[in-house]
Amino acid sequence: MQTIGSIHEMQSSAIAMRSSGHLIALVPTMGCLHEGHGKLIDIAREKADKVIVSIFVNPAQFGPNEDFEKYPRVLSDDLEFCRERGVDFVFNPKVEALYPEDFSTFVEEEKLSAGLCGISRPNYFRGVATICLKLFNITRPDIGIFGQKDAQQLALIRKMVNDLNLPLEIIAGPTHRDSDGLATSSRNHYLSDSQREDALRISRALETARELVTAGVRQVDRVIAEVTHELSQSRRVRVIYVQVVDRDSMESPREIIPGRHLLTVAVWVEDTRLIDNIEL
Ligand code: AMP
């Protein structure tokens, strides 16, 4: 496995791999790798000849009062994780390399990034779209692998690829959960044991939503009300949003269509922001 910090070196290696006919898959991450990332790497290995994992905590997607500074950074563990998982390249650039002082070009998607997390995190999706386009240009992947856990991000990337005619395919990996149901996330490291207990309400509430739909409920308001009620049982959980959305457009439907719509949730568990979703 090769670890590369230089943009130029990564780009040249990617171009050389492409010209030797290798299919490249990119798994973009912010590090502090867990089994959710691991499963995306497994998909990448299955689909491509060469796997690149980028590890970069992207300042452009954090708001001024968010956790950019304290976001967990554990590079040597991450490198070990990638090596064991059969990754070919880790791309780990410095902030100054990707965002030099005079940086002034951003990518903005205007529809599906407006709602949900776009409301409570105003520049978040602009930062995500910008870094992903930069990473695509540097690593030249044929395939980009993203997690369903960040459903709005996945929809945004698919939309950007389509709108800007980017020459790669986006593949989604299912949400990986710990055995207790909590979706694995680098931010779970912030949770104490008791906060983790509270966070388990999220996956339970998502299951409730799915059970309602399986039992024949199609009213959006009814499902949202039940999920909100379940989340609100804990004093330490504050709901940011609970929404039913179309998986591609992120628009709210009038009525739930199983297999097409997602129930998506964002909450604060004290000062940790967690998101999750389930296909209804
Ligand atoms: P992050 O490092 O949190 O920015 O995530 C990097 C990629 O891993 C994104 O495509 C996420 O959607 C994906 N990811 C994060 N957590 C999970 C999970 N529990 N299951 C599947 N994919 C995940």
Side-chain angles (χ1 to χ4, degrees), residues 212-229:
L212 286 169
V213 173
T214 305
V217 174
R218 296 291 178 266
Q219 298 101 311
V220 171
D221 291 350
R222 160 103 192 270
V223 172
I224 290 176
E226 296 267 357
V227 168
T228 308
H229 175 74

Side-chain angles (χ1 to χ4, degrees), residues 103-234:
F103 186 88
S104 59
T105 305
F106 292 87
V107 182
E108 213 146 352
E109 192 284 330
E110 297 182 340
K111 279 192 183 153
L112 59 82
S113 48
L116 306 175
C117 288
I119 296 171
S120 43
R121 305 186 73 188
N123 281 325
Y124 175 65
F125 288 113
R126 170 177 119 130
V128 168
T130 302
I131 192 63
C132 286
L133 182 58
K134 282 167 73 69
L135 291 171
F136 294 159
N137 284 330
I138 296 165
T139 63
R140 306 292 180 99
D142 299 283
I143 302 166
I145 321 269
F146 289 82
Q148 181 61 48
K149 151 119 182 341
D150 297 83
Q152 194 177 10
Q153 168 175 284
L154 172 64
L156 163 79
I157 299 300
R158 286 194 196 282
K159 188 71 173 27
M160 176 177 78
V161 164
N162 199 46
D163 283 351
L164 301 183
N165 313 103
L166 304 182
L168 79 158
E169 183 192 354
I170 299 301
I171 294 181
T175 301
H176 178 78
R177 298 178 183 282
D178 283 330
S179 54
D180 56 10
L182 185 65
T184 49
S185 164
S186 310
R187 290 194 167 96
N188 292 352
H189 287 273
Y190 299 149
L191 301 172
S192 66
D193 289 350
S194 61
Q195 289 170 340
R196 195 186 158 94
E197 275 302 311
D198 290 323
L200 288 178
R201 286 200 184 275
I202 303 168
S203 50
R204 292 200 199 113
L206 295 182
E207 280 303 329
T208 302
R210 184 181 265 169
E211 282 160 19
L212 286 169
V213 173
T214 305
V217 174
R218 296 291 178 266
Q219 298 101 311
V220 171
D221 291 350
R222 160 103 192 270
V223 172
I224 290 176
E226 296 267 357
V227 168
T228 308
H229 175 74
E230 185 147 347
L231 290 171
S232 310
Q233 295 306 299
S234 166

Side-chain angles (χ1 to χ4, degrees), residues 20-61:
S20 347
H22 291 307
L23 271 187
I24 301 176
L26 170 69
V27 182
T29 81
M30 297 207 298
C32 192
L33 301 178
H34 51 70
E35 193 52 31
H37 299 113
K39 288 288 190 296
L40 301 187
I41 295 170
D42 294 346
I43 296 173
R45 287 194 50 192
E46 207 180 287
K47 301 274 179 192
D49 307 309
K50 298 287 178 187
V51 175
I52 304 175
V53 171
S54 61
I55 298 180
F56 180 67
V57 185
N58 175 32
Q61 70 190 66

Side-chain angles (χ1 to χ4, degrees), residues 245-260:
V245 294
D246 178 276
R247 60 187 319 143
D248 297 319
S249 69
M250 293 287 125
E251 280 171 11
S252 300
R254 282 171 193 273
E255 198 169 80
I256 295 166
I257 302 174
R260 164 135 175 223

